[in-house]
Amino acid sequence: MKPRQARREAILAQMGIAPLWRLRAAAGQPGAAAAPPRSAQPRPLPEPPPSADEREARILAMSWAELKQAVPACTACGLHKTRAQTVLGVGDERAEWLLVGEAPGAEEDRLGEPFVGQAGKLLDNMLAALGLKRGDNVYIANVLKCRPPGNRNPEPGETAKCAPHLLRQIGLIRPRLIVALGRIAAQTLLNSDATIASLRGRVHRYAGVPLVVTYHPAYLLRNLPDKSKAWADLVFARRTLASLGGG
Ligand code: URA
């Protein structure tokens, strides 16, 4: 250290002030700093994560374009670590019919679209029997936008974090009728632990929108006799929608 610098540091030390900065010696030279140098400039505090309410308010104010950017970037729950991609939904963004399933499965995670596996084929056939098809007055979404690993049931924390995304989709689509596909979707949207059997055949509401409940297409693939009940539910849904002035 040069004499002038040594004197300056001695004065600072007497005043109880450590030198604010010092030229680094080259690596390996005597006096080389072991730790990387740190700026003495004050650093901005990291922004605290938005509170649950702020986050929800932000999502509920999004446009389609913003929602389509926000969902793939979402890390609000642990599912972002295992997903291949998010699955926001598919179809007519002004549809009268909104079908809501549980969560993407393996195929949906791979392709980025809801209900594209075997259950999806059955769903498409059921829609066709009603004279409907995905993309034409029908929008299909899920409660969760990310696949739970191994197709396990969604956890309450995951559904809570993802709920604003579905709520925003509903706000943007403004469907006349929601069809909840399966127990998990029905129980989550209705905040109930009632069975599908007890929820069928009635008009409920979610976010102010009339909602009817039916079996999940994957369940129907394993329980073919219940297909006739699902058909009755869809006919009931169509009648409900007609009574609301839609079709
Ligand atoms: N099951 C669901 O609930 N949703 C999908 O998208 C696929 C299978």
Side-chain angles (χ1 to χ4, degrees), residues 101-105 108 113-116 119 142 216:
E102 178 180 329
E108 290 77 19
E113 182 171 329
F115 285 99
V116 287
N142 282 306
H216 193 284

Side-chain angles (χ1 to χ4, degrees), residues 53-114:
D53 287 350
E54 278 168 346
R55 176 179 174 269
E56 180 166 354
R58 204 159 26 75
I59 295 171
L60 293 182
M62 285 179 179
S63 64
W64 268 120
E66 289 166 333
L67 191 64
K68 286 173 186 175
Q69 279 201 333
V71 167
C74 180
T75 56
C77 78
L79 295 181
H80 75 277
K81 294 182 195 148
T82 49
R83 73 185 177 213
Q85 60 186 309
T86 55
V87 181
L88 177 62
V90 69
D92 180 349
E93 293 176 357
R94 303 293 299 166
E96 292 178 311
W97 292 78
L98 171 62
L99 274 52
V100 181
E102 178 180 329
E107 281 297 280
E108 290 77 19
D109 182 59
R110 193 169 68 80
L111 297 171
E113 182 171 329

Side-chain angles (χ1 to χ4, degrees), residues 22-235:
R22 173 191 291 167
L23 276 180
R24 263 189 307 161
Q29 297 290 308
R38 294 185 184 197
S39 163
Q41 294 296 320
R43 300 178 200 199
L45 284 173
E47 262 186 33
S51 75
D53 287 350
E54 278 168 346
R55 176 179 174 269
E56 180 166 354
R58 204 159 26 75
I59 295 171
L60 293 182
M62 285 179 179
S63 64
W64 268 120
E66 289 166 333
L67 191 64
K68 286 173 186 175
Q69 279 201 333
V71 167
C74 180
T75 56
C77 78
L79 295 181
H80 75 277
K81 294 182 195 148
T82 49
R83 73 185 177 213
Q85 60 186 309
T86 55
V87 181
L88 177 62
V90 69
D92 180 349
E93 293 176 357
R94 303 293 299 166
E96 292 178 311
W97 292 78
L98 171 62
L99 274 52
V100 181
E102 178 180 329
E107 281 297 280
E108 290 77 19
D109 182 59
R110 193 169 68 80
L111 297 171
E113 182 171 329
F115 285 99
V116 287
Q118 283 307 311
K121 290 206 179 86
L122 176 57
L123 183 61
D124 285 339
N125 290 341
M126 288 160 65
L127 288 173
L130 283 178
L132 295 169
K133 61 174 193 266
R134 66 172 73 200
D136 188 2
N137 205 18
V138 176
Y139 191 94
I140 305 176
N142 282 306
V143 169
L144 290 189
K145 310 307 183 204
C146 297
R147 180 189 181 210
N151 295 351
R152 65 159 169 74
N153 287 345
E155 289 174 359
E158 294 160 355
T159 53
K161 292 281 188 200
C162 219
H165 296 136
L166 180 62
L167 278 173
R168 188 57 193 143
Q169 286 177 295
I170 292 170
L172 289 164
I173 299 167
R174 299 175 61 196
R176 280 188 198 271
L177 183 73
I178 298 172
V179 181
L181 300 168
R183 181 179 67 83
I184 300 282
Q187 291 182 340
T188 305
L189 299 184
L190 298 177
N191 193 22
S192 159
D193 55 10
T195 61
I196 286 280
S198 68
L199 295 170
R200 291 177 57 234
R202 287 187 284 145
V203 181
H204 308 266
R205 280 190 177 260
Y206 178 69
V209 181
L211 178 150
V212 301
V213 165
T214 191
Y215 294 99
H216 193 284
Y219 165 86
L220 294 174
L221 288 173
R222 300 188 303 267
N223 298 274
L224 293 179
D226 279 343
K227 262 176 147 180
S228 59
K229 292 188 195 162
W231 174 245
D233 293 337
L234 292 181
V235 170

